[in-house]
Amino acid sequence: FMIEHNLGSDMARRRRRQTKRITERKRSNLNLAQRVGLLEKPAPLLTDLEWKAVRLKARERGSHHHPCPICCEPFRMAKQVILSCSHVFHHACIRSFEKFSGNFVCPICRSAKDYQSKVIDDGAKLYKANSIVLIQAWFRGTIARRRYFEMLERAPPTNPKARNAFLMRRLARTSNKIVKEAKRKEDALDALFAQINANLELSRMAMDAADIRGSLLASDEWMKAKESWEKRDDTDCPICMSTLNSSAKKQKRKNA
């Protein structure tokens, strides 16, 4: 048990040392010239207290109230980066600047070489706070205006100028109501006429179909229909009640 415990402790210590070396290598990122002292080593990483001081300096300058210096667009909810020189940019903007310029210097001060950067959300918090204030102001203004107009309806102003303005608003509201009602009735009439036209079109189609079917009767059938009419001896039209003037019927009566 002791041997296994010692082996486990040794492995844990070795893993911690390896992790520490990797972390230090990532933090330093020194090349060979910097390691042997031919070139100046980069500045050590900022501590949390130093980053707090940098962010406080950016807030005092009002960087979050101004747009991004690269794209000139407001930060809003986009990812935001602060540099060790306390200048603030969009994350995508500063990465594009590094990629296309090849210079790892601050685009504003040009003095912070091999700067350090940190992702922050100060711009997003400010944007949320401003949005909340605007929404509350709009809501309160709407409620206040509604209550103000309700009070005016109950107690019109006595000042001549204010009274004229109040009466003009009331007249405009009444005119709008009349126009809307007339438009509604006009739309209703248009719908009625459209329905009548559709019914007439259906009637025409039905009558045309009946005429076509009637014109297709054979001559024998027409003769049978004529004989049936002569047998009934109709003298008046069943539709208009006018007297039928038929020479055939008159000739038939003379013969009889």
Side-chain angles (χ1 to χ4, degrees):
F1 176 76
M2 292 296 296
I3 294 174
E4 291 180 356
H5 178 71
N6 292 333
L7 288 175
S9 300
D10 293 340
M11 292 178 64
R13 283 195 295 272
R14 194 179 300 113
R15 191 179 297 110
R16 284 196 296 270
R17 286 197 298 270
Q18 185 178 4
T19 304
K20 186 177 180 180
R21 285 197 299 270
I22 293 174
T23 305
E24 290 177 353
R25 193 181 304 120
K26 286 183 178 179
R27 288 179 177 176
S28 60
N29 198 17
L30 301 177
N31 53 30
L32 183 59
Q34 290 173 339
R35 290 176 185 175
V36 299
L38 297 178
L39 293 177
E40 184 181 358
K41 295 181 180 180
L45 296 178
L46 298 180
T47 61
D48 293 338
L49 292 177
E50 291 173 337
W51 276 119
K52 287 181 180 179
V54 171
R55 295 179 70 173
L56 180 61
K57 185 177 179 181
R59 289 196 194 100
E60 291 176 352
R61 192 191 303 118
S63 300
H64 309 295
H65 296 274
H66 302 291
C68 174
I70 297 178
C71 66
C72 296
E73 292 290 335
F75 290 106
R76 294 182 179 175
M77 299 299 295
K79 203 173 181 181
Q80 191 180 5
V81 172
I82 186 171
L83 305 185
S84 53
C85 58
S86 74
H87 291 126
V88 184
F89 306 92
H90 279 131
H91 182 269
C93 294
I94 192 65
R95 291 295 172 261
S96 299
F97 177 80
E98 293 172 352
K99 179 179 178 181
F100 293 105
S101 67
N103 298 322
F104 289 88
V105 295
C106 176
I108 296 179
C109 60
R110 302 285 180 174
S111 61
K113 294 184 179 180
D114 297 329
Y115 54 77
Q116 301 176 32
S117 61
K118 185 176 183 180
V119 177
I120 58 175
D121 58 351
D122 294 351
K125 290 180 179 178
L126 181 63
Y127 178 69
K128 289 180 180 178
N130 291 337
S131 301
I132 291 171
V133 170
L134 289 175
I135 292 171
Q136 289 178 346
W138 174 84
F139 179 76
R140 290 173 181 173
T142 302
I143 297 299
R145 284 188 293 272
R146 185 179 300 172
R147 290 178 179 174
Y148 171 71
F149 289 126
E150 289 176 356
M151 290 175 61
L152 281 181
E153 292 293 334
R154 291 194 297 267
T158 57
N159 188 319
K161 184 181 258 186
R163 189 175 182 84
N164 290 338
F166 167 73
L167 294 176
M168 289 296 294
R169 285 195 299 268
R170 177 178 286 181
L171 180 62
R173 279 199 307 272
T174 306
S175 301
N176 292 333
K177 288 181 181 178
I178 293 173
V179 170
K180 288 181 180 178
E181 186 66 21
K183 184 74 168 56
R184 187 184 64 81
K185 290 184 178 180
E186 183 180 357
D187 294 340
L189 288 175
D190 291 340
L192 177 62
F193 290 146
Q195 185 178 2
I196 292 173
N197 290 333
N199 294 335
L200 287 175
E201 187 64 25
L202 291 174
S203 300
R204 290 193 190 98
M205 292 173 61
M207 292 179 67
D208 293 341
D211 292 341
I212 292 173
R213 287 196 300 271
S215 62
L216 295 178
L217 293 176
S219 59
D220 297 339
E221 294 176 348
W222 280 115
M223 291 299 295
K224 290 180 181 179
K226 186 176 180 181
E227 291 175 359
S228 176
W229 168 69
E230 290 176 350
K231 288 179 181 179
R232 285 198 305 269
D233 197 14
D234 295 333
T235 59
D236 298 328
C237 175
I239 297 176
C240 64
M241 297 302 193
S242 299
T243 305
L244 294 174
N245 187 11
S246 175
S247 59
K249 283 184 176 291
K250 290 179 180 179
Q251 187 67 30
K252 186 177 180 181
R253 288 192 185 97
K254 287 181 181 180
N255 296 331

